[in-house]
Amino acid sequence: MSAWLRLAIVTLTASVRVIVFAEEKPAATEGDVEALKKQNAELQRRVDRLAGELDQIKARLAEKPAPAAAAAPSKKPTAFGLDFEIYGYVKLDAAYDNSRISVGDYARWVESEQVNRNDNEFNMTANETRLGVRIRGPGTESFRSLGVIEADFYGGGAENSPNPRLRLAYVNFEWPDLGFSVLGGQAKDTISPLYQPRVNFSPGWWQGNLDFRRPQLRLTQTVSLAEGVQLKFEAAAARTIAPAFTAPRDFFPDPGADAGYPTAQGRVSLTFPGFSKLPITLGVSGHWGEDEHDFTNFTYSLHFKTWSGNVDLTLPFTPWLKLQAEAYLGENLEAYLGGIGQGVNATLLKEIRARGGWCALTLGPFDRWAFNFGYGVDDVNRNDLTGTSNPATDPRSRNQVAFGNVYFSLTANLQLALEESWLRTDYKSVRYGDDWRTQFAIIYKF
């Protein structure tokens, strides 16, 4: 209540008390009675005036807007008319494995148990903590622009002093009326756009999920065929990235750049209404490129192709039940985190063929709870592998994962997560490895 309102109420109350007191006082003489009548009339005028002022104060208070603290926050333009939005999360991961895995902080595959069986381990890290900035320029209904810079802390270094790592750095500008956009910079691959819903940092890489991030120039065209039905075309020229395996490597240490042209990526997807008119998306994608490996300076080199064909599906049955799935087939997929991290057989000098896929069900959210269950597999052609009988170097032939997890939201920003997963990795010549992994995470989003 405002000070003016309190003052008006106190004054009005005092005045009423004076009137009552005057009315209750016995009249001593006829002159006193006349004086009291005049005094009461004056007090009545004062009461009427104060009542009018009180009504005006109430009216002004009713028209006053809500305090600024209660208003919804709004973005404010910064220098040059740009809007900056900071986003990301802080995450602590703690995981127990009953066998030795690669790499520990997150699970890729299980090491062979031919020598060290059930060699358990415990890891704890905050390296997945992520920080990003979205920069939006002045836009209109016919043109928009966006820049994104994002990093995490899986760039090497010691466990308690990790190095930052660039994840994303791109600009995207679009013409909404035309359904056309251009992206340039480091971004997620155009192929296989889905992720396994995991607590584990790896969203199914080396376990059936194919893709990564790399510098690229991408064009996207979206066509509306009917209400709720969209056809999207995406095409990208991406940097070819391939590890060198020849020795010496000082002739041309970057086999991807040595190929002389970028890798082509493309995807076509259709989105249409499904159950309860929820959008179903079906996509087909692929890539093709080459890398060149030099064996002697300017005289002997070999080209190895890299390619993939992929399908992806997002199928919501209800607002609380959704199926996601992907599958792939290809060769020399190490740079795309397929083939269980193997691309070229340096002994046979041939590409390693691989196939894989995954599927997952998401249930929720139910109030504060959400659940995910899934399976993934990465399967390498054993004929493309050369066994070594050494557990440390024998090539991996098959990698599987089955997982289930639960997320609980304490607040809109703070989550707790628990995941149980089973992993098994088969090898060409040595004993397989399997592992039960229990992982707990605290996630604070902003």
Side-chain angles (χ1 to χ4, degrees):
M1 184 182 296
S2 70
W4 283 104
L5 181 57
R6 286 196 294 268
L7 178 60
I9 293 173
V10 170
T11 305
L12 178 60
T13 304
S15 301
V16 172
R17 287 177 179 173
V18 171
I19 295 171
V20 172
F21 177 77
E23 289 178 346
E24 292 177 352
K25 184 178 179 181
T29 65
E30 186 176 346
D32 291 337
V33 172
E34 291 297 328
L36 286 173
K37 288 182 178 179
K38 292 180 179 179
Q39 184 179 4
N40 286 342
E42 177 63 25
L43 290 174
Q44 185 63 46
R45 285 193 295 271
R46 291 174 59 189
V47 170
D48 293 340
R49 185 176 66 252
L50 289 173
E53 293 177 356
L54 181 59
D55 290 339
Q56 293 178 4
I57 292 173
K58 289 181 178 179
R60 285 197 296 268
L61 288 175
E63 296 173 356
K64 186 177 180 181
S74 59
K75 298 177 184 177
K76 296 183 178 180
T78 59
F80 308 109
L82 301 175
D83 288 338
F84 287 75
E85 177 187 358
I86 298 175
Y87 71 93
Y89 56 80
V90 179
K91 186 182 181 189
L92 173 70
D93 285 301
Y96 170 80
D97 294 273
N98 69 359
S99 294
R100 184 181 298 178
I101 63 163
S102 172
V103 290
D105 284 344
Y106 57 92
R108 300 193 298 181
W109 52 77
V110 190
E111 303 291 352
S112 170
E113 297 185 88
Q114 183 160 309
V115 177
N116 296 313
R117 188 171 184 181
N118 296 331
D119 187 7
N120 63 343
E121 58 182 273
F122 176 80
N123 293 278
M124 182 180 291
T125 184
N127 287 359
E128 193 182 331
T129 295
R130 190 173 300 177
L131 180 62
V133 180
R134 295 188 185 97
I135 310 166
R136 291 182 172 86
T140 66
E141 293 183 358
S142 59
F143 180 79
R144 299 171 191 164
S145 61
L146 171 70
V148 174
I149 303 173
E150 183 178 289
D152 63 16
F153 295 89
Y154 270 116
E159 281 294 335
N160 60 347
S161 57
N163 299 327
R165 177 186 67 158
L166 180 67
R167 288 174 52 86
L168 304 173
Y170 66 82
V171 60
N172 186 78
F173 44 99
E174 61 177 326
W175 292 263
D177 295 341
L178 302 176
F180 182 72
S181 66
V182 178
L183 181 147
Q186 177 157 307
K188 186 183 181 303
D189 284 322
T190 304
I191 64 172
S192 299
L194 305 181
Y195 285 135
Q196 290 182 15
R198 302 286 299 279
V199 177
N200 184 40
F201 166 69
S202 165
W205 296 325
W206 310 284
Q207 301 162 4
N209 186 22
L210 193 72
D211 87 308
F212 200 52
R213 301 175 297 272
R214 67 199 76 240
Q216 60 186 275
L217 177 65
R218 183 193 306 172
L219 306 179
T220 301
Q221 178 67 61
T222 302
V223 180
S224 294
L225 302 180
E227 183 178 357
V229 181
Q230 286 188 336
L231 185 62
K232 181 185 290 187
F233 301 90
E234 300 170 272
R239 175 168 183 142
T240 305
I241 297 175
F245 61 83
T246 58
R249 302 180 180 179
D250 54 356
F251 300 137
F252 204 105
D254 188 339
D258 199 17
Y261 54 89
T263 295
Q265 297 186 5
R267 179 174 178 262
V268 179
S269 60
L270 179 66
T271 300
F272 54 93
F275 302 102
S276 301
K277 296 186 178 180
L278 296 172
I280 299 173
T281 299
L282 176 63
V284 179
S285 60
H287 84 275
W288 190 92
E290 281 189 337
D291 45 84
E292 179 179 339
H293 296 261
D294 294 328
F295 289 82
T296 58
N297 195 11
F298 304 117
T299 60
Y300 178 43
S301 63
L302 290 177
H303 291 253
F304 298 93
K305 61 182 178 294
T306 171
W307 67 270
S308 72
N310 318 273
V311 293
D312 60 88
L313 172 67
T314 301
L315 176 59
F317 296 100
T318 71
W320 51 267
L321 179 62
K322 178 176 67 175
L323 171 69
Q324 296 182 94
E326 287 185 331
Y328 83 87
L329 176 70
E331 296 182 7
N332 188 11
L333 300 173
E334 181 178 5
Y336 293 85
L337 309 187
I340 328 177
Q342 302 161 121
V344 175
N345 185 323
T347 302
L348 300 178
L349 296 179
K350 65 177 296 187
E351 300 89 350
I352 295 175
R353 292 167 289 177
R355 59 186 179 181
W358 63 272
C359 62
L361 273 176
T362 296
L363 288 80
F366 304 110
D367 190 16
R368 299 185 178 187
W369 299 87
F371 304 86
N372 299 284
F373 304 92
Y375 171 81
V377 60
D378 220 349
D379 195 7
V380 175
N381 191 313
R382 294 177 63 89
N383 295 329
D384 297 338
L385 304 177
T386 301
T388 65
S389 299
N390 181 349
T393 60
D394 199 58
R396 299 169 290 276
S397 62
R398 185 179 175 88
N399 198 30
Q400 303 176 74
V401 64
F403 65 88
N405 58 52
V406 55
Y407 287 82
F408 177 73
S409 298
L410 290 171
T411 68
N413 303 95
L414 182 60
Q415 280 187 319
L416 304 179
L418 181 66
E419 180 171 277
E420 188 72 23
S421 58
W422 170 80
L423 297 94
R424 170 167 169 152
T425 307
D426 294 295
Y427 292 81
K428 172 75 172 181
S429 305
V430 301
R431 180 185 173 87
Y432 67 85
D434 65 352
D435 170 61
W436 282 97
R437 179 180 178 90
T438 303
Q439 183 168 344
F440 171 74
I442 301 175
I443 309 162
Y444 189 82
K445 300 178 181 180
F446 57 88

